[in-house]
Amino acid sequence: MITRAKKYAVYCLNKKNLTEKELFDKLKEKGYEEYADEVIEEFKNAGFVNDREYAFMYISDGVNIKYKGLFRLGEELIRKGVSKSIISSVSKGFEEESFNSLMAYVRAHYDGVEISDRREKEKIRQKLLRRGYSYGEIRNCFDEMNWSDI
């Protein structure tokens, strides 16, 4: 029965990279709950499941491709079962990239747009907050875009 659980885990990992928790949930859902811990431990030792690498790739793609902020990406990773300590250590390397991503996003969507009043500026700020950027990043971005005097 454990070989079936391993085969199913390999099948799941061939389709998509998963966190430990996601793989555990898949095994549990399929009825292999009693073997899940053993299978996951074996796969971790073999290097097939690695939450740190998963978090690195997830944050890298989120910052550079999807233009999301670190806070939102961290929340998404927590929901996927990645520990806060891993998220914190991995995201420290992406702080500058996150700001550059924010600037690229703002330039792509708002360059040439006349921001004339506080209400428009607040709408943009709220949108960026929902994307997961921090107040500090947004403030620095607005300073660079010369929107701070509005």
Side-chain angles (χ1 to χ4, degrees):
M1 194 69 157
I2 193 163
T3 57
R4 281 182 157 172
K6 288 179 185 178
K7 285 181 181 179
Y8 183 69
V10 168
Y11 169 77
C12 291
L13 290 170
N14 277 334
K15 287 174 58 176
K16 180 182 173 190
N17 196 7
L18 300 170
T19 65
E20 291 176 34
K21 180 186 179 297
E22 289 175 322
L23 184 58
F24 181 85
D25 292 345
K26 293 242 182 224
L27 290 169
K28 180 180 173 183
E29 188 178 295
K30 196 70 171 175
Y32 300 122
E33 184 174 6
E34 61 186 274
Y35 307 109
D37 289 330
E38 185 179 338
V39 170
I40 290 170
E41 193 59 39
E42 188 173 323
F43 278 45
K44 278 174 48 179
N45 292 336
F48 298 131
V49 178
N50 187 331
D51 281 357
R52 183 172 296 282
E53 283 182 24
Y54 184 93
F56 181 85
M57 289 185 297
Y58 193 88
I59 290 173
S60 178
D61 288 349
V63 166
N64 297 315
I65 297 171
K66 298 177 183 173
Y67 299 106
K68 293 181 180 178
L70 293 176
F71 180 77
R72 180 169 175 185
L73 293 169
E75 292 297 312
E76 290 173 2
L77 284 169
I78 287 171
R79 276 184 257 137
K80 291 178 171 285
V82 179
S83 73
K84 289 182 181 182
S85 62
I86 290 175
I87 296 168
S88 174
S89 67
V90 170
S91 65
K92 283 182 182 163
F94 286 96
E95 290 167 349
E96 187 174 331
E97 283 182 56
S98 176
F99 181 73
N100 293 337
S101 171
L102 169 61
M103 290 300 299
Y105 181 83
V106 169
R107 284 190 180 114
H109 288 85
Y110 302 106
D111 202 25
V113 175
E114 188 64 37
I115 307 299
S116 58
D117 65 354
R118 287 191 172 290
R119 189 173 292 162
E120 290 176 34
K121 183 178 162 185
E122 188 58 32
K123 279 184 181 179
I124 295 170
R125 180 190 327 274
Q126 291 303 317
K127 182 175 184 177
L128 296 174
L129 286 170
R130 284 190 299 274
R131 294 193 71 77
Y133 294 105
S134 71
Y135 282 105
E137 287 175 313
I138 295 169
R139 188 178 335 102
N140 292 339
C141 173
F142 283 8
D143 288 344
E144 281 202 30
M145 297 295 289
N146 294 320
W147 293 347
S148 56
D149 56 344
I150 297 171

